[in-house]
């Protein structure tokens, strides 16, 4: 394997709405998760069909009894959740040093991506390219977005290893000829990479 492909949320950056919502809205976290992060409006964000402010406005419109909570969530979710995962950062640096080419394939709005890429330039500068759902208007695990990645960067699936926290996304990757690692919390990613034959 020559190319290593990373998801962002839950792999490169933290993404755990359950922990975030429980911290501030204990007892109401499941309902708020459905209202915001599992909503059709949020899917519009990931597809690039609306920006963060537009999605906030739509969610507020549809849930006028939760204005305070919704505004708090939109004001704080980026700083609370989208922080680098130290274990993954170590793996990214080790892979880059070892000569592997690194890419990103993620369901994320382009504005969120570019903000985080700016804030954590040292990490994101190690990647040779990225395919984002918000720019392609296509979500994993749809095979179409994987094919965009292969074509854009001239990648051969059998030379690629994909790391994602969604088993469904890894399943699609394997069907397309890639190797895959399902990223889990408390996982030693460097050790997991070595078991896949990655030399670090």
């Amino acid at each position: 394997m020559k190319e290593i492909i990373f998801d962002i949320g839950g792999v490169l950056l933290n993404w755990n709405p359950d922990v975030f919502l429980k911290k501030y809205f204990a007892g109401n976290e499941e309902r708020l998760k459905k209202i915001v992060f599992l909503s059709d409006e949020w899917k519009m964000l990931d597809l690039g069909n609306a920006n963060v402010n537009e999605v906030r406005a739509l969610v507020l419109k549809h849930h006028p009894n939760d204005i305070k909570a919704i505004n708090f969530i939109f004001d704080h979710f980026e700083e609370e959740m989208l922080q680098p995962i130290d274990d993954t950062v170590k793996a990214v640096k080790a892979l880059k040093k070892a000569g592997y080419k690194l890419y990103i394939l993620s369901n994320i709005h382009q504005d969120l991506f570019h903000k985080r890429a700016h804030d954590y330039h040292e990490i994101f500068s190690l990647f040779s390219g990225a395919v984002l759902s918000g720019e392609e208007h296509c979500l994993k695990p749809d095979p179409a977005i994987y094919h965009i990645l292969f074509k854009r960067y001239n990648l051969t699936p059998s030379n690629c290893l994909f790391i994602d926290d969604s088993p469904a996304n890894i399943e699609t990757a394997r069907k397309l000829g890639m190797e895959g690692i399902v990223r889990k919390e408390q996982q030693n990613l460097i050790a997991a990479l070595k078991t896949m034959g990655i030399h670090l």
Side-chain angles (χ1 to χ4, degrees):
M1 287 172 282
K2 301 174 183 177
E3 289 89 22
I4 315 297
I5 301 153
F6 286 79
D7 178 32
I8 294 180
V11 176
L12 190 58
L13 303 180
N14 277 302
W15 183 260
N16 198 326
D18 294 322
V19 172
F20 168 53
L21 294 172
K22 188 173 183 179
K23 179 179 177 181
Y24 296 105
F25 304 102
N28 202 22
E29 61 265 34
E30 282 301 320
R31 192 177 68 84
L32 288 170
K33 183 180 177 182
K34 290 178 182 177
I35 286 174
V36 179
F37 299 114
L38 299 180
S39 66
D40 289 339
E41 292 86 356
W42 195 269
K43 188 174 181 180
M44 291 172 60
L45 181 68
D46 281 345
L47 281 167
N49 295 332
N51 63 34
V52 174
N53 288 333
E54 290 167 338
V55 169
R56 182 204 290 243
L58 286 170
V59 174
L60 286 169
K61 180 181 178 181
H62 296 152
H63 302 278
N65 294 327
D66 295 288
I67 288 176
K68 186 175 180 180
I70 291 166
N71 278 326
F72 182 91
I73 292 167
F74 275 90
D75 285 342
H76 296 283
F77 80 88
E78 289 182 55
E79 66 192 58
E80 288 272 346
M81 292 197 290
L82 289 170
Q83 304 294 328
I85 298 173
D86 291 340
D87 179 68
T88 306
V89 172
K90 289 177 184 176
V92 166
K93 290 180 178 178
L95 287 163
K96 187 70 174 181
K97 186 176 181 181
Y100 290 92
K101 296 290 288 290
L102 309 178
Y103 299 91
I104 287 169
L105 177 63
S106 183
N107 289 349
I108 190 171
H109 188 276
Q110 57 269 33
D111 288 353
L112 290 177
F113 171 79
H114 292 300
K115 283 181 188 177
R116 297 291 93 177
H118 177 269
D119 291 343
Y120 304 117
H121 176 74
E122 180 187 1
I123 301 166
F124 283 90
S125 65
L126 301 177
F127 290 85
S128 298
V131 170
L132 314 175
S133 64
E135 292 180 342
E136 309 304 332
H137 308 292
C138 181
L139 295 171
K140 294 176 297 181
D142 187 334
I145 195 168
Y146 296 74
H147 285 296
I148 292 169
L149 176 77
F150 301 150
K151 184 176 180 180
R152 181 168 299 161
Y153 299 109
N154 195 28
L155 304 181
T156 301
S158 59
N159 291 338
C160 297
L161 172 67
F162 185 35
I163 305 166
D164 196 293
D165 62 328
S166 164
N169 295 342
I170 293 298
E171 181 181 356
T172 295
R174 288 175 175 150
K175 287 179 179 178
L176 295 174
M178 304 166 72
E179 293 289 347
I181 293 175
V182 178
R183 178 79 171 103
K184 300 175 182 177
E185 289 188 25
Q186 310 305 320
Q187 181 184 42
N188 184 324
L189 186 54
I190 288 179
L193 286 164
K194 287 179 178 179
T195 67
M196 301 294 293
I198 301 296
H199 301 290
L200 297 174

